[in-house]
Amino acid sequence: MNSTKVTKIGVMTSGGDSPGMNAAIRAVVRTGIYNGLEVFGIVRGYNGLIENDIFKMDSRSVANIIQRGGTILKTARSKAFTTPEGRATAYENLKKHGINGLVIIGGDGSFKGAQTFSNEYDIPCIGLPGTIDKDIAGTDVTIGFDTAVNTAVEAIDKIRDTMDAHDRLFIVEVMGRDAGYIALHSGIATGAENILIPETKTDLEDLIASLTEKEKRRKLVNLVVVAEGGEYGDANKLEAIIKERIPNADTRVCILGHIQRGGSPSCEDRLIASHMGYYAVESLLCGRHNVMVGVINNKIHYTPLDKAVKEKQKIGQEWMKIVKILAS
Ligand code: F6P
């Protein structure tokens, strides 16, 4: 807990954008103002802190944004903030505005920055997990994952139509950085025959054997969903391997890419963001510092920022067994 009374807070989005970030900004701004705080928007994440791109917000600044993807505050992955000089300038700028509390909406890189910053300077930082990757410990949900995974499902369903029409083997690569959540969830929901994720070692021989066996019994429509961060995360390379081993397979690749980051946030993401945004301000008001606001078993949960960064969520191996059975 921190004893300094928070009166002026800054809010920023940092790292890769995720659908629902705007809903979180809205919740922070309006909860702050409701509680008599002055609220400042910081543009382009930590870069805006360093460049003093900081402006006062009011309730109207966040009107009509809950339904919009992207982030009205813009975002960046700041190199300058990784340097002591960059952080010193950032702190000077915060002092100029009298800001004495920060809310950072972002992923693990953003939380690492916040942790270092608050170790060096006396400024309470509250993190909100905004990432499509869902690769943060201390929360069951992250702002943007639900929308991203539904975007992937919608796209894969469309691919299935044409894949089925042509009896093809499709390899679909989804995002997630080092995490396999988008691949696992979208793969299960679209009935993928194989799902390759970084959290589980991929047995290539097993994959080839299962595809060969399906080919023999004329099950020619096969969907392989791969997470970009896995051993075989590069879908084009995986296709080359499969083609070499199963020359008759009619294969195609689709890399979903940044489409997964955009779009109007789902109802779920708007709710998560609104809930977490409210508790971010409440946390600053009651003197919490350097924690991430998460949700575990539908209840708000606080995790020290360094723990949220170091530990990852775990993917239950049971799911991989179920995938095999359901795809037979
Ligand atoms: O962290 C979100 C994410 O979309 C990852 O899934 C992906 O690996 C990365 O960001 C892409 O980053 P960029 O937008 O810089 O290409």
Side-chain angles (χ1 to χ4, degrees):
M1 298 276 175
N2 196 297
S3 51
T4 323
K5 195 171 173 298
V6 171
T7 49
K8 296 186 184 189
I9 64 171
V11 57
M12 70 163 88
T13 46
S14 166
D17 61 298
S18 66
M21 280 184 160
N22 281 327
I25 296 167
R26 173 179 177 269
V28 170
V29 171
R30 292 200 171 159
T31 309
I33 289 168
Y34 173 83
N35 285 287
L37 303 178
E38 283 184 50
V39 185
F40 292 82
I42 300 161
V43 183
R44 291 189 183 80
Y46 295 115
N47 282 347
L49 268 191
I50 295 169
E51 291 155 16
N52 199 17
D53 200 349
I54 299 171
F55 69 101
K56 181 113 183 266
M57 299 182 86
D58 60 25
S59 276
R60 292 302 94 208
S61 324
V62 290
N64 199 23
I65 64 166
I66 195 168
Q67 77 284 17
R68 282 169 53 190
T71 157
I72 59 158
L73 290 177
K74 308 243 178 211
T75 186
R77 296 191 174 98
S78 175
K79 279 223 171 75
F81 198 71
T82 60
T83 67
E85 299 76 30
R87 292 192 294 275
T89 311
Y91 186 64
E92 283 311 308
N93 288 330
L94 283 180
K95 275 206 304 194
K96 271 184 213 155
H97 292 275
I99 295 172
N100 50 11
L102 273 183
V103 178
I104 297 116
I105 309 163
D108 58 353
S110 313
F111 294 167
K112 274 181 202 146
Q115 182 67 45
T116 312
F117 193 46
S118 58
N119 285 343
E120 292 171 347
Y121 300 99
D122 184 24
I123 176 98
C125 294
I126 304 294
L128 296 188
T131 168
I132 63 165
D133 303 335
K134 205 165 100 79
D135 58 348
I136 291 178
T139 186
D140 294 339
V141 291
T142 62
I143 299 164
F145 173 75
D146 184 65
T147 309
V149 86
N150 277 298
T151 300
V153 166
E154 206 184 317
I156 298 171
D157 282 348
K158 288 181 176 151
I159 290 170
R160 234 188 210 287
D161 290 345
T162 169
M163 177 173 89
D164 186 61
H166 285 267
D167 282 341
R168 277 179 171 153
L169 189 165
F170 247 93
I171 302 162
V172 179
E173 181 187 315
V174 298
M175 275 190 170
R177 201 180 289 276
D178 301 326
Y181 285 96
I182 300 181
L184 184 72
H185 289 226
S186 64
I188 292 167
T190 55
E193 274 69 23
N194 294 90
I195 303 173
L196 276 46
I197 55 174
E199 290 82 355
T200 306
K201 180 133 189 57
T202 298
D203 184 337
L204 185 65
E205 291 311 315
D206 197 47
L207 173 71
I208 300 291
S210 101
L211 292 173
T212 310
E213 184 273 325
K214 287 187 176 102
E215 216 211 0
K216 272 195 193 131
R217 60 179 162 99
R218 305 291 299 153
K219 184 181 187 297
L220 301 174
V221 182
N222 283 300
L223 171 65
V224 182
V225 176
V226 297
E228 62 174 358
E231 201 184 339
Y232 297 99
D234 182 331
N236 287 309
K237 280 194 190 147
L238 181 63
E239 185 195 32
I241 296 173
I242 293 175
K243 268 204 140 346
E244 204 190 319
R245 302 284 301 272
I246 318 173
N248 288 340
D250 187 8
T251 61
R252 291 290 186 278
V253 165
C254 180
I255 298 170
L256 292 188
H258 287 81
I259 189 174
Q260 295 159 98
R261 284 238 298 261
S264 179
S266 65
C267 174
E268 175 74 5
D269 277 330
R270 297 180 202 191
L271 292 181
I272 294 168
S274 303
H275 200 191
M276 288 180 175
Y278 171 89
Y279 278 100
V281 176
E282 198 249 15
S283 293
L284 286 171
L285 287 170
C286 72
R288 277 189 200 95
H289 62 118
N290 308 345
V291 292
M292 181 197 77
V293 179
V295 174
I296 295 183
N297 294 331
N298 289 322
K299 288 211 170 66
I300 289 292
H301 192 91
Y302 303 99
T303 304
L305 284 177
D306 54 349
K307 218 172 159 214
V309 166
K310 263 190 226 131
E311 291 167 18
K312 296 275 176 220
Q313 291 190 27
K314 303 251 172 343
I315 287 190
Q317 292 307 305
E318 195 197 3
W319 267 118
M320 299 312 279
K321 186 177 145 200
I322 297 175
V323 168
K324 270 203 164 165
I325 295 169
L326 300 189
S328 52

